[in-house]
Amino acid sequence: MSHLSEITHGFVGADLEALCREAAMIRLRRIMPEIDFDVAGIPYEQLARLEVHMDDFVTALKEVEPSAIREVFVEVPDVHWEDVGGHEALKDKLIEAVEWPLHYPHLFEQAGTRPPKGILLSGPPGCGKTLLAKAIANESKVNFISVKGPALLSKYVGESEQAVREVFRKARQASPCIVFFDEIDALVPARGGGSTDAHVAERVLSQFLAELDGIEELKGVLILAATNRLDMLDPAVLRPGRFDEVIEIPMPSDKDREEIFRVHLRNKPLEEGVDPTTLVSRSSGFSGAEIALVCNRAALMAVRRAVAFVKEHPDDKVVTVVTRSDIDAALAELNEE
Ligand SMILES: Nc1ncnc2c1ncn2[C@@H]1O[C@H](COP(=O)(O)OP(=O)(O)OP(=O)(O)O)[C@@H](O)[C@H]1O
Ligand SMILES: [Mg+2]
């Protein structure tokens, strides 16, 4: 059985049961190929009495994946550069930090240097860290694995460090690949913070560091992470050779906010003459997320007006228009909150 335990690395209890069931079914089909089995009709006890061979398990492994792996998706996010307003210099910096190592590793080698292992995006909430990470992943045309720190911890209680290991394993399989740890402060908080179970936190941290340090083998894998609480991270994560580069994503400047307004008003039916440049001064101190909220609230007001109109005039054609006063009202609303 030792061999079985080796090939079921990363499996939790439920996965093992599914694997046994699948292996038994494979054996059954092998010894009685002519019978059309009604899977649901065969009690588990009966299946369990079968003499299942190693071979069956190996075949079953192709069908049954450990749940940690199943939860780690390689995806292509649906965010493009044009969906990120402003932050032009940051976009260039990200391209250099993220795309170059993945696309031109040989040039780094020729120059006798190594690109940073990990890149950390840090900045206040709602300023586009997650958005930028998705955009860079999409635009650089490599595989993307996205993991949310809090979700990983809560989903795999007691299995978290195993889940961390699986993430890196999956990343190696999917190379060239960007792994994005969003809200990483939840995953590897400073020790002694007392927030989560200290033992779990410790194990997850050491697993994470071990994987990060072993990154030489992670050729073609780039680790990206984001946090709005840099001070909450365990300092070990920030040591040279780990997250070598911390990129600050600041609150948007006037120019950035104008561009963010453009992004979020782009597909809305705007009243003629609404000019994003005039919205800048009324939104000072707003984050990108707040600007998105203003635009959506303004659109909702337009919808409310249109619905009221339809109710009054069921036979007339209605045109939904977002007006300057909708936007002003939404801005005022948020300024008051
Ligand atoms: N530069 C931007 N351009 C366009 N939209 C933006 C920009 N920044 C933020 N937004 C809007 O705000 C939303 C939230 O941004 P995002 O999730 O990237 O913030 P974050 O920095 O990751 O925040 P948190 O620290 O809370 O995770 C985005 O989905 C987007 O709608
Ligand atoms: Mg985020």
Side-chain angles (χ1 to χ4, degrees), residues 44-62:
Y44 182 67
E45 291 69 32
Q46 231 168 325
L47 282 178
R49 256 182 266 127
L50 275 175
E51 190 178 293
V52 183
H53 299 192
M54 193 60 197
D55 204 29
D56 305 321
F57 278 104
V58 174
T59 312
L61 269 177
K62 296 198 181 104

Side-chain angles (χ1 to χ4, degrees), residues 215-234:
I215 215 164
E216 268 85 351
E217 306 144 41
L218 284 180
K219 268 209 165 27
V221 177
L222 195 125
I223 312 298
L224 194 60
T227 178
N228 56 35
R229 294 298 308 271
L230 194 57
D231 56 313
M232 291 274 288
L233 276 187
D234 194 281

Side-chain angles (χ1 to χ4, degrees), residues 260-274:
I260 298 172
F261 267 114
R262 277 186 212 288
V263 167
H264 288 282
L265 293 175
R266 194 173 52 199
N267 296 320
K268 296 190 169 55
L270 279 191
E271 178 187 41
E272 209 162 308
V274 175

Side-chain angles (χ1 to χ4, degrees), residues 79 81-87 91 122-134 148 180 182-183 185 226-229 249 252 256 259-261 263-264 287-293 296:
V79 178
W81 283 135
E82 65 192 39
D83 301 319
V84 184
H87 293 316
K91 290 180 192 171
S122 158
C127 286
K129 296 182 295 295
T130 304
L131 196 70
L132 277 161
K134 287 182 173 171
K148 256 190 193 271
F180 177 46
D182 205 357
E183 297 167 36
D185 42 288
T227 178
N228 56 35
R229 294 298 308 271
I249 315 283
D256 292 335
E259 293 303 324
I260 298 172
F261 267 114
V263 167
H264 288 282
S287 68
E290 283 164 333
I291 293 176
L293 187 65
N296 281 328

Side-chain angles (χ1 to χ4, degrees), residues 203-247:
R203 285 204 309 268
V204 170
L205 176 69
S206 57
Q207 184 66 44
F208 187 80
L209 295 179
E211 295 288 351
L212 212 55
D213 290 343
I215 215 164
E216 268 85 351
E217 306 144 41
L218 284 180
K219 268 209 165 27
V221 177
L222 195 125
I223 312 298
L224 194 60
T227 178
N228 56 35
R229 294 298 308 271
L230 194 57
D231 56 313
M232 291 274 288
L233 276 187
D234 194 281
V237 173
L238 296 172
R239 259 182 229 143
R242 290 174 181 161
F243 282 96
D244 285 323
E245 176 133 16
V246 178
I247 298 183

